[in-house]
Amino acid sequence: YEVIFSIIHNIESFPEDIYISEIIKEFPFLIYKAPHWAVILLIRILNSNSARECITKKVYLTTPEIKSSMLFLLHRINEENPKFSEKIVSLMKAANPADRI
């Protein structure tokens, strides 16, 4: 855990816009290879108001594959920890194609 958190802290030191742009590209792969860490990465983003706003904007404009992985992670986070429900609403809407009618 210490090594992985060291890596996470290192990548979080990049400018938020760049870090989030790159990490969302990896979520489709992370949910299969390391779902636990994908959840942790997303929770850390959700805990920051500015990062949450940034990821919401980027997810809205991204690919269906990334949106699908995001919805998977958000549902998992909500099931495991309902206290995040307020933090995930806008991101869930951005990732859900049905909300764009």
Side-chain angles (χ1 to χ4, degrees), residues 27-28 30-32 34-36 38-39 42 65-80 88 92 95:
F27 279 135
L30 283 172
I31 63 173
Y32 294 108
H36 172 74
V39 167
L42 187 52
E65 182 183 27
I66 292 172
K67 289 176 183 172
S68 178
S69 67
M70 189 61 57
L71 287 171
F72 171 84
L73 291 170
L74 292 170
H75 285 293
R76 185 164 172 182
I77 289 169
N78 196 44
E79 288 172 4
E80 292 176 8
I88 68 172
M92 194 168 278

Side-chain angles (χ1 to χ4, degrees), residues 4-46:
I4 299 297
F5 272 114
S6 177
I7 293 169
I8 289 171
H9 290 160
N10 192 25
I11 62 175
E12 287 175 340
S13 69
F14 283 87
E16 198 169 80
D17 186 58
I18 294 169
Y19 162 64
I20 290 174
S21 291
E22 295 304 314
I23 200 68
I24 64 172
K25 294 176 192 174
E26 299 305 320
F27 279 135
F29 307 103
L30 283 172
I31 63 173
Y32 294 108
K33 294 186 180 215
H36 172 74
W37 290 108
V39 167
I40 288 173
L41 286 166
L42 187 52
I43 286 173
R44 293 175 67 85
I45 291 169
L46 292 170

